Amino acid sequence: MKPFLIFIFLSAAFAVTAQNYNVSAIPDSLKENANAVKRMEEFHVIIKSLDKVIVKHRYAITILNEKGDEYAEYSNNYSSLEGLSDISGNLYDASGKKIQSVKKKDISDVSIADGESLMLDDRIKRHNFYNRQYPYTVEYEDEQQAKGTYFLQSWHPVEGDEFSVEQSRYIIEVPAGYKLRYKQLNTSQQPVISQNSYAWELKNFKAIQYERYRPSFNSIAPSVYVGADDFSFGGYTGNMSTWLDFGKFNVTLNKGRDVLPDNIKQEVHKLVDGIPGKEEKVKILYEYLQKNTRYIGIQLGIGGWQPFDAKYVATNKYGDCKALSNYMVSLLKEAGIKANYVLISAGTGYRKLQEDFPASYFNHIITCVPNGKDSIWLECTSQTKSAGFMGSFTGDRKALLIDDDGGHVVSTPFYTAEDNLQSRIINAVIDADGNLAADVNTHCTGSQQELQHSLMHEATKEERDKYLNNALNLPTYQVTRSDYKETKGRIPVVDEYLHVVAPNYVTVSGKRMFIEPNLFNKTRLKLSPDEQRKFPIEFSSSYKDVDTIHIVLPTGYNIEALPKDVSVNNDFGQYSIRFKITDNNIDVIRTMISNRSFFQADRYSELVKYFDTLYKADHSRIVFVKKES
Amino acid sequence: MLNMFISKPKLSGMRVSFIALGVLFFISTKTMGQQKEGIKFGKVTAADFKITSPVVDTNANAVIISDIGSTEFVGNNSGDFTLVFKQYKRIWLRNRNAFDAATIHVPIYLGITYDSQEKFEDFEAATYNLENGQVTETRLDKAAVFTEKINKEQIERKFTFPNLKEGCIIEYRYTVKSPFYRHLRSWYFQGQYPCLWSEYKVMIPHMFNYFVTRRGLIPYTIDSVNKIYKNYSIVIPAADAFSSSDHVIVSGNAKFAMWAIKDVPAFKTESFTSSALNYINGIQFLLQSIQYSDDYTKMYIKDWIKTADELMNDPDFGLQLKDNNTWLNDLSPAISKEPDPLVKAKKIFEYVRDNFTCNDHDAYYLSQPLKKTYQTKAGNIIDINLLLTAIFINQGFDAHPVLLSTRSNGFVNESTAVLNQYNYALSRIKINDDYYLLDASYNRLGFGRLPEDCYNNSGRVVDKLPVLVSLSPDSLREEKQTSLFIINGEKGGLEGSFSTTMGHYESYAVREKMIKLKKDDLLKEIRKGMAAEAKIQNLEIDSLKLYDEPLNIKYDVTFDFNGEDVIYFNPLLNEAMKQNPFTSADRVYPVEMPYTTHEVFVLDMEIPKGYVVDELPKSVRYKLNETEGMFEYIFSKSPEKVQMRCKIDINKANFDKEDYGPLREFYSFIIKKQSEQIVFKKIKQ
């Protein structure tokens, strides 16, 4: 019997490797607008038990041109909680002939330098054939062994723009009686369900092209999320069929980690005892945290999910987002204020929380102090942010608040156009030699103060000067004075003062003088009119700009051409610009309001027109002629 | 400044044991001299938190109070010397923007065996805070020192300080014991933060000779070398179980050098600086020789003739160029059968350039055998350009590698044959009587063209006669020619044709950009920069793939003025300079531009029908320091036509810092002048 079995295995193996990677076999429709084509993919997730998951992955991608090279590199992570082995791969030429194979010693092994953490135990294995003869095909195969079911690898067969998929299959095997949850996005295809497995397949998916203001790639590409029911992870067990249960795991992880040393307890009481008002107390303790801790990431094993305890932070005065949030919750608890640890997906481009499908979408932790309708949100890794302000990093999104009974989905604050204001007053003088000197006072609030906030707190004076001397759209200039004043609050405010000197800003030697009076706030976007718009249009945030500009000119000029006032008020936004000339004074008032909004693709030609109008009006030029003497 | 440590020793096989050589030393019994230490670890008083110094202004987020290092040689128990490097550093963190300075990375080099790796020892670190007039100390737990593997040859020990508060003082010290003579650690006296006292002491036994490179513009406070008579006790272990170990004392006049600078300002980076390393005060050591006995000295730095010969015989460099390399015989007949030598050389160059990938442009040895590079199609800069050289030799050419240090790697001491100053290699080939320098490591570089970064004054040919080849940026000229012809169209309005032939570096940049862009995208981009009345069409890009040729872009442009009474016309279309490359008002270091420049723009236009010229920009000629640069902007007009010629010449690449002001003004003048418009007025009927 034995030799016979081997024969079967061999022939099976042969059948698998005899895949046809001839590039001529790719349908033309998949080559259109594509830089790379996924020829085949077999993504096989096998849940052996709650604490053992095997993931066998095999795929082949044809790289059509140089732009597709980014998909030619193999890269996968491993850590103490997830092993990675059996990496193999082959390189094929355009005709499908194998020309090279992966050699073990050519696989590089590097640490993940995330630029933030002091120590991580995650490392990456990488390989690249560095082929340069297009088209070519790479084929890779590997196996991962996860010690737990907390993260189940979901399926994202389309890896980016200008990337088509000939065939990709995702199979998940579960133990008998195991309840698998799944959620499909942008695909109507139902899984093929057999006794212990679920399978999805994507075939002949045409390449997507990038479009300005479209929704994020994740929300337009087909994918399947899977989630465990009962799970095990790093020695802990739990259930995540509901958000409430999901959160219970964090309750367990954080249990007993909120004990403060006595000296810190005393400090808390010294700071807030006798202070009336919850909000004031929260502010004092948050500022105490900011003053006394800093961000240092050390994430080893389960330490990637479990915070260092409050005592550790109290002693070392550092921690990561988990440790610092846990510490903040502990400080507030000591002051008799209930606060919660909140799991969130921060930044942009990261996966959004799907409320109807509990799973781990998160990459960050913040703190929430419930306060009726007016919860106070705290970013514990920042030493400078205002208490209660989330901004663009964590604002306007769903998050998971951990309470004693488990997890609860909550929303972080949304900021309106009025909250995100930039109001700028410019007083400029152009002297007889054409030099410009301007006092620029800018009042920035909400997300529009984030840049100024970081210029104030995170940049050295040298970096700030360097930035300011490159930021303005003037040919040669110098910011000779700069000054910042911050007013903290739920909607923080920064008042910026700049004194700008631009020598030879205009030429006064000739007969005429040309001035674009909208000095600093010009729309730079021009959309292409001839595009076939496929996806909807999304403005993801709201803001308001008001510019009040006063320019004094040298005397002795008459106006030759004055631009027309422009005013637009439609779904896309409200915009107006007005010009006024009195003697040798120019006055301009520009207002722009843009709201978070969503439009169907067929509105695109209107959008093009809208931006064209703004572009033209913002670049309006005034021409003066020397008075005949 | 330990993080700026940049020496790249070749570790494998660099250690020469004294036992292996069986050398005898004479014996002495005199004791070694004692060294003094300045500030004491752990002694921080309230007064230490009040720091005033001319180099500490309100902008300094941190101040290095003291940075003291030393390297000493100590006899060990395996018949050899150990290099003992010590660093002690005390830093005042004035505010939290400097807290990053409290995370320390110490590189540790590994040899092939555990026995030959460096060891990190005697670590101590503490944070001091001043609270109510009292100094409190928080010690760093030794368990909180992490180890990270960087690569096969290097690990990093890293740690961060506990209990930081604004205004705290941190200090640490450690020892690294190293078996690698070639790895006598460098020292940098200047860094991101001002430093009150930076000091490095080195005690070198008499038989060791190091070549010392000093850089920087700040004068040393202490700069001394003395001879001190020293005894080194070395135990030579037993050769086998039947013999006993031996104890020898090595004595002689050791060289004791000390360098220190008081009040070092923070280093500020500036644009148009080839490498900060050329200007930061630092001391580097390169092992020159070891005198094992009166009549045997092993030379590590030799003259260039000997060094080049060794390099040509080094298996990690030139040795494989001597082989037949029969594995290269399968080269395509289309290349090997080419009769014209120059055409053939180009074909070989293009074959390597188009089929191989350079994954590291900073190396000075082969990372793998040439055959492996040939098979895997990838390697570092030495692998790629030596493979190119090997193919040339295999095909009967006279070709040699050329060593150089790139601009970003810093200047070299040309006359000293120290190899780890270099980080790059080219291939030099002789065809008929002409030499060509070639670099096949960048996909879009033409035959005989080199990246800007290679123009760092000179390169060294690795040949029997290792001559210098000049790579002066002053010899490099970036030329651009642009023309715009405009005539009255048949249907009213103006019709023009624009053509620009770019310099090689701009051509290269556009070619790189066009990997990600389609021709249509470029057309859209050009349209965006144009005035509303200009319509662009029929874009043509010539020589996009002909990398030896300059890139040429052409398009047609039409202007429709809608019968306006006054037309304002920008004579340079979208080619006017918009931003001064020199933004900063002041300058500390010289200006090093990558090349000289020569740009010409010619306009020949018919006056729109029904209009007359109302105003033309005034013609000017502006000279930069008499001969170093010139800007010409010349207009002429006839009843039918306006003509303009704009020329910008920068005749040298390097300028002293004193020339910075005039240089900035020169550009400022160009921008202002180029923004002037031609004004046409409608003829009143």
Side-chain angles (χ1 to χ4, degrees), chain B residues 167-231:
Chain B
C168 68
I169 288 175
I170 57 172
E171 66 174 349
Y172 63 96
R173 67 176 171 198
Y174 64 88
T175 300
V176 173
K177 291 189 176 156
S178 173
F180 307 124
Y181 305 143
R182 281 198 189 177
H183 196 187
L184 205 170
R185 277 166 158 78
S186 325
W187 191 258
Y188 294 94
F189 297 84
Q190 195 178 19
Q192 193 187 350
Y193 301 111
C195 177
L196 305 187
W197 184 256
S198 180
E199 166 191 310
Y200 194 38
K201 288 186 291 240
V202 177
M203 176 86 89
I204 299 170
H206 65 281
M207 70 283 281
F208 289 91
N209 240 311
Y210 285 86
F211 182 81
V212 180
T213 311
R214 300 158 59 133
R215 281 182 180 143
L217 307 176
I218 305 166
Y220 286 88
T221 312
I222 297 174
D223 183 355
S224 69
V225 182
N226 291 302
K227 288 212 165 86
I228 292 175
Y229 196 78
K230 283 208 63 158
N231 297 313

Side-chain angles (χ1 to χ4, degrees), chain A residues 66-67 133 294 457 511, chain B residues 97 161 355 444 515 615:
Chain A
E66 210 173 336
K67 290 176 221 171
Q133 294 303 306
R294 65 188 168 120
H457 296 289
K511 216 161 104 178
Chain B
N97 289 329
F161 284 80
N355 287 281
R444 284 167 194 80
I515 308 169
E615 191 181 358

Side-chain angles (χ1 to χ4, degrees), chain B residues 2 5 7 9 11 14-15 71 82-85 106-121 147 153-157 174-186:
Chain B
L2 203 80
F5 196 79
S7 125
L11 291 170
M14 66 180 253
R15 183 167 168 256
T71 294
T82 296
L83 276 69
V84 179
F85 172 75
V106 181
I108 304 289
Y109 293 89
L110 309 173
I112 315 155
T113 61
Y114 174 77
D115 191 43
S116 69
Q117 75 181 25
E118 294 186 338
K119 291 181 181 68
F120 179 79
E121 293 176 358
T147 305
E153 293 185 341
Q154 194 191 331
I155 55 168
E156 214 171 63
R157 301 303 303 267
Y174 64 88
T175 300
V176 173
K177 291 189 176 156
S178 173
F180 307 124
Y181 305 143
R182 281 198 189 177
H183 196 187
L184 205 170
R185 277 166 158 78
S186 325

Side-chain angles (χ1 to χ4, degrees), chain A residues 454-516:
Chain A
S454 63
L455 282 176
M456 277 180 81
H457 296 289
E458 279 149 43
T460 61
K461 185 179 178 293
E462 192 193 0
E463 285 166 345
R464 186 163 57 238
D465 286 350
K466 212 173 203 171
Y467 174 82
L468 290 172
N469 281 308
N470 283 294
L472 302 177
N473 199 14
L474 294 174
T476 306
Y477 72 97
Q478 194 71 39
V479 175
T480 55
R481 279 202 302 280
S482 66
D483 189 30
Y484 292 88
K485 202 179 117 250
E486 185 177 32
T487 313
K488 290 201 169 187
R490 294 281 189 104
I491 305 293
V493 178
V494 175
D495 286 293
E496 179 191 61
Y497 167 74
L498 302 177
H499 186 73
V500 181
V501 181
N504 302 318
Y505 179 69
V506 291
T507 306
V508 289
S509 60
K511 216 161 104 178
R512 285 179 177 80
M513 192 163 66
F514 300 87
I515 290 171
E516 282 188 21

